């Protein structure tokens, strides 16, 4: 069948079981939008308020569902508005296919209207990118892009399509998606060395990251921890990959991790890093764990010995590695290590703060009580992000979505929309701060237009809380440009967009607001007024050993 390039694109997306595209139309993609119109019963296009929102929505959709997210934008500013969202997905290994239009081929390189070299711009922040100059290559390129995005270490792939390519005619034949390469190869010699080192060790600590979730290896991680009786600390990106109520779970690890996780990491005799990359916000210096041997299991060979020199590195599919490792391991009780773990966990226990005061711990706890086990929690970036990571308690993968590597303020609203579209039977809650929400609050119009039952909870402290916290601790309280003094009424703003909105000053008021919010089938915003001087603790100062933990009492 001979059809134009735009028709080939949409039909090939349908072949890849794409049900939803997030995007914004423009001149260079008019042919694509015309094809979308003709296939509107097969593929749903959600128009956002801003292209960055499209990228974040596709990202949230991918994180929540495990599928490839797809977004679409026109040339020039439409394409460049996607860049922050692409970089966010790249840093957190999220599979996206990003489609941009470009000017017609004869106009490329001539500073034409709305022309930009988006392939050159995004080269450092994509797994791969393409410009399709021949319509006969379009279908093959799209199929290849989906395979690359979802194969190995996942990530975003960009396809740039000149406008005349979308108009040109070519042959289309329906084809199955390209098969992913099976990542089942494991170096048996190194696997045996890994097993021997684990079997010889008495104080093992597992440091696990987002690779557990993207690799669908949560069950294998649990089996490993229980067999060798090892405590488990998770990175921000790994939360949900290990049940938080499990007696071996020590909480988050790193700059704002639990004291138990950080101390275990520095006192173990063997640290096993699984699907984690020794980020500077966790452990980026072997001197911090100088008494331990280190094993690193990861799907990306480039991560082995990149930030920390390790004793053994094994590359491959994490799920497969753990499946093959488990039979080689001895049961280990490690009673002295377990006693130390219980001592540390007991010291970490904190009681909930005064229930009359509207504080971050109460806010997060009440959100969990309201949505029960049906919640998918999305955050922006800042203090609220860390409080939500620390206090909520995640039992299942893909229930905590946050920008980890890039730390993108403004990520949350788009990501919450994408997550709710992808998981309509779950209740998505966005926990955000007034600073982050101000960056992409325009996407409220998308949530309202699509009638999405997202609950938005703003921890409104009238400051850029995390930056202000650093100014308090490290800059002698010189609060330069972090006290916002804005007059925005978020309740009125939400109502202007067509959403329902409430404001809470006390824990009792918040409980009432959340009780009402869960009964709505449309967006609800709750503006929570909190103290600007609340700080996130525990905290490790930048560059300090992770065992040197600052607590609130230290101030």
């Amino acid at each position: 069948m001979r059809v134009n390039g735009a028709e080939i694109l949409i039909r090939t997306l349908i072949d890849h079981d794409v049900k939803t595209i997030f995007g914004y139309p423009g001149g260079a993609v008019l042919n694509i939008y015309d094809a979308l119109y003709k296939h509107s019963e097969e593929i749903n296009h959600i128009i956002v308020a801003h292209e960055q929102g499209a990228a974040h929505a596709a990202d949230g959709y991918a994180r929540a569902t495990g599928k490839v997210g797809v977004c679409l934008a026109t040339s020039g500013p439409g394409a460049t508005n996607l860049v922050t969202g692409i970089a966010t997905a790249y840093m957190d290994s999220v599979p996206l296919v990003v489609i941009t239009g470009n000017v017609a081929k004869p106009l490329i390189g001539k500073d034409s209207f709305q022309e930009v070299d988006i392939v050159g711009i995004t080269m450092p922040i994509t797994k791969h990118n393409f410009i399709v100059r021949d319509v006969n290559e379009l279908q093959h390129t799209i199929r290849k892009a989906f395979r690359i995005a979802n194969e190995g270490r996942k990530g975003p792939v960009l396809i740039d399509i000149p406008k005349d390519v979308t108009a040109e005619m070519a042959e289309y034949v329906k084809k199955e998606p390209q098969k992913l390469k099976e990542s089942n190869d494991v170096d048996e010699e190194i696997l045996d060395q890994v097993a021997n080192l684990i079997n010889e060790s008495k104080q093992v600590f597992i440091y696990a990251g987002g690779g557990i979730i993207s690799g669908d290896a949560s069950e294998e991680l649990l089996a490993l921890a229980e067999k060798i009786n090892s405590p488990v600390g998770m990175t921000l990106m790994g939360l949900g990959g290990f049940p938080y109520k499990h007696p071996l779970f020590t909480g988050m690890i790193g700059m704002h991790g639990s004291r138990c996780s950080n101390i275990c990491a520095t006192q173990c005799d063997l640290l096993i890093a699984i699907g984690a990359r020794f980020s500077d916000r966790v452990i980026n210096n072997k001197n911090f764990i100088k008494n331990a041997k280190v094993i690193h299991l990861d799907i990306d060979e480039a991560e082995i010995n990149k930030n920390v020199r390790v004793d053994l590195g094994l590359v491959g599919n994490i799920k497969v590695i753990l499946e093959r490792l488990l039979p080689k391991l001895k049961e280990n009780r490690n009673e002295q290590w377990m006693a130390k773990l219980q001592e540390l966990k007991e010291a970490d226990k904190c009681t909930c703060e005064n229930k009359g005061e509207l504080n971050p711990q109460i806010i997060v706890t009440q959100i969990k009580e309201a949505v029960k086990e049906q919640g998918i929690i999305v955050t922006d970036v800042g203090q609220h992000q860390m409080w939500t990571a620390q206090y909520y308690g995640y039992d299942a993968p893909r229930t905590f979505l946050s920008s980890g590597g890039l730390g993108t303020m403004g990520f949350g609203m788009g990501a919450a929309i994408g997550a709710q579209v992808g998981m309509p039977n779950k209740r998505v809650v966005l926990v955000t701060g007034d600073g982050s929400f101000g960056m992409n609050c325009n996407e409220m119009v998308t949530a309202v237009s699509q009638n999405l039952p997202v609950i938005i909870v703003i921890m409104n402290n009238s400051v850029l809380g995390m930056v202000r916290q650093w100014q308090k601790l490290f800059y002698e309280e010189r609060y330069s440009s972090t006290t916002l003094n804005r007059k925005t009424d978020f309740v009125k703003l939400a109502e202007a967009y067509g959403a329902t909105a409430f404001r809470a000053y006390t824990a009792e008021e918040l409980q009432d607001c959340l009780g009402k919010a869960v009964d709505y089938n449309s967006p609800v915003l709750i503006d929570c007024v909190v103290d600007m001087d609340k700080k996130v603790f525990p905290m490790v100062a930048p560059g300090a050993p992770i065992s040197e933990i600052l607590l609130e009492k230290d101030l």
Side-chain angles (χ1 to χ4, degrees):
M1 167 192 330
R2 285 186 68 80
V3 294
N4 68 17
E7 187 75 13
I8 289 172
L9 169 63
I10 300 307
R11 285 176 180 266
T12 308
L13 292 178
I14 293 168
D15 293 343
H16 284 78
D17 199 32
V18 175
K19 306 293 187 190
T20 302
I21 300 176
F22 303 92
Y24 204 98
V29 289
L30 279 174
N31 294 325
I32 297 173
Y33 273 86
D34 192 51
L36 274 170
Y37 182 87
K38 295 171 186 174
H39 290 274
S40 58
E41 292 187 3
E42 299 160 275
I43 192 164
N44 181 33
H45 176 269
I46 293 179
I47 182 170
V48 294
H50 188 282
E51 291 90 353
Q52 185 179 132
H56 291 325
D59 182 319
Y61 179 94
R63 293 186 201 229
T65 65
K67 300 176 182 177
V68 177
V70 181
C71 59
L72 169 63
T74 192
S75 63
T80 56
N81 283 342
L82 295 171
V83 169
T84 297
I86 296 170
T88 301
Y90 181 76
M91 290 289 282
D92 290 344
S93 304
V94 178
L96 299 186
V97 169
V98 180
I99 301 159
T100 54
N102 208 334
V103 298
K105 287 178 289 184
L107 298 175
I108 292 175
K110 297 184 178 180
D111 293 333
S112 304
F113 177 68
Q114 289 194 332
E115 181 201 358
V116 72
D117 178 12
I118 195 62
V119 169
I121 289 169
T122 59
M123 195 169 290
I125 54 168
T126 52
K127 275 190 76 177
H128 198 84
N129 57 24
F130 303 89
I131 180 167
V132 183
R133 297 177 183 269
D134 182 350
V135 69
N136 295 296
E137 294 294 319
L138 181 56
Q139 184 181 12
H140 174 69
T141 302
I142 298 162
R143 296 175 71 244
K144 188 175 179 182
F146 273 87
R147 177 179 59 78
I148 293 170
N150 216 18
E151 192 171 75
R153 182 175 181 170
K154 303 177 192 297
V157 178
L158 180 135
I159 309 170
D160 192 39
I161 312 172
K163 185 174 183 180
D164 49 350
V165 172
T166 65
E168 291 165 357
M169 305 295 287
E171 194 68 25
Y172 162 81
V173 177
K174 181 180 173 64
K175 297 178 181 179
E176 292 297 313
Q178 291 185 0
K179 289 187 177 180
L180 304 182
K181 291 178 184 174
E182 296 291 338
S183 304
N184 292 332
D185 292 337
V186 177
D187 187 315
E188 289 293 334
E189 184 179 340
I190 298 178
L191 188 68
D192 286 338
Q193 292 177 37
V194 167
N196 290 337
L197 188 50
I198 294 173
N199 289 332
E200 292 166 3
S201 301
K202 303 298 182 188
Q203 298 187 168
V204 182
F205 179 72
I206 297 171
Y207 147 54
I212 291 294
I213 294 172
S214 60
D216 191 27
S218 297
E219 291 181 8
E220 290 74 17
L221 173 63
L222 178 60
L224 171 66
E226 289 182 338
K227 187 164 189 179
I228 64 174
N229 220 25
S230 169
V232 178
M234 304 299 288
T235 69
L236 181 76
M237 298 305 302
L239 292 175
F242 195 88
Y244 80 101
K245 287 184 179 177
H246 197 285
L248 291 172
F249 183 56
T250 59
M252 191 165 67
I253 184 172
M255 179 175 282
H256 292 292
S258 71
R259 182 174 174 273
C260 185
S261 287
N262 288 5
I263 296 296
C264 280
T266 57
Q267 293 189 359
C268 65
D269 62 3
L270 174 64
L271 185 140
I272 310 173
I274 309 176
R277 58 187 179 86
F278 293 97
S279 154
D280 59 303
R281 289 298 173 105
V282 183
I283 310 168
N284 72 330
N285 189 328
K286 197 173 179 181
N287 289 333
F288 299 169
I289 46 173
K290 56 188 174 185
N291 296 320
K293 298 280 188 181
V294 179
I295 293 170
H296 192 180
L297 313 178
D298 203 275
I299 198 166
D300 187 356
E301 186 174 8
E303 291 298 339
I304 308 296
N305 292 318
K306 185 176 84 174
N307 293 330
V308 167
R309 298 292 300 177
V310 301
D311 297 278
L312 286 172
L314 185 55
V315 178
N317 182 308
I318 294 299
K319 189 179 184 74
V320 173
I321 289 175
L322 295 182
E323 285 173 345
R324 296 197 187 172
L325 177 63
L326 281 164
K328 298 175 182 286
L329 299 177
K330 300 174 184 174
E331 298 267 352
N332 200 332
R333 294 300 91 200
N334 301 318
E335 290 181 5
Q336 286 186 326
W337 186 226
M338 288 300 101
K340 178 67 175 177
L341 171 63
Q342 293 310 313
E343 178 188 321
L344 289 169
K345 289 188 80 168
E346 196 63 34
D348 257 0
K349 280 184 181 176
C350 64
T351 54
C352 212
E353 299 177 46
N354 176 8
K355 292 206 174 215
E357 177 194 351
L358 193 56
N359 59 65
Q361 186 178 358
I362 287 291
I363 292 171
V364 174
T365 302
Q366 288 196 0
I367 290 170
K368 179 146 194 179
E369 289 171 357
V371 299
K372 300 181 171 38
E373 299 304 317
Q374 293 304 307
I376 293 177
I377 307 302
V378 182
T379 76
D380 269 298
V381 172
Q383 287 179 314
H384 67 273
Q385 176 189 34
M386 293 299 114
W387 286 318
T388 308
Q390 291 171 339
Y391 296 136
Y392 190 86
Y394 301 90
D395 249 340
R398 304 191 183 281
T399 55
F400 176 71
L401 315 182
S402 194
S403 170
L406 198 64
T408 306
M409 292 176 68
F411 164 82
M413 193 64 224
I417 288 167
Q420 190 68 80
V421 170
M423 303 295 288
N425 296 324
K426 295 282 189 178
R427 197 58 183 266
V428 175
V429 181
L430 167 62
V431 183
T432 185
D434 48 311
S436 285
F437 188 65
M439 288 195 169
N440 270 343
C441 60
N442 53 346
E443 293 304 336
M444 280 285 294
V445 72
T446 309
V448 171
S449 299
Q450 298 296 320
N451 207 36
L452 300 173
V454 176
I455 299 172
I456 302 149
V457 179
I458 304 175
M459 293 191 191
N460 188 348
N461 57 7
S462 299
V463 295
L464 299 178
M466 187 62 85
V467 188
R468 191 174 188 271
Q469 176 167 331
W470 281 47
Q471 289 172 336
K472 163 81 174 177
L473 296 175
F474 310 119
Y475 291 87
E476 298 177 338
E477 300 185 28
R478 293 187 292 275
Y479 298 128
S480 176
S481 299
T482 50
T483 304
L484 297 175
N485 287 325
R486 291 174 179 165
K487 305 301 181 186
T488 308
D489 186 326
F490 289 118
V491 170
K492 289 182 179 177
L493 179 67
E495 290 172 344
Y497 277 123
T500 302
F502 306 103
R503 181 171 288 111
Y505 293 95
T506 67
E508 188 177 45
E509 288 175 351
L510 175 60
Q511 192 170 36
D512 181 58
C513 293
L514 285 166
K516 293 175 182 175
V518 295
D519 290 333
Y520 281 88
N521 289 315
S522 56
V524 178
L525 179 144
I526 304 172
D527 185 23
C528 298
V529 181
V530 297
D531 183 354
M532 68 172 60
D533 289 318
K534 281 288 178 188
K535 305 290 187 293
V536 179
F537 290 103
M539 180 180 181
V540 176
I546 60 170
S547 57
E548 292 184 8
I549 302 158
L550 292 172
L551 302 173
E552 191 159 15
K553 64 183 182 182
D554 296 327
L555 294 183

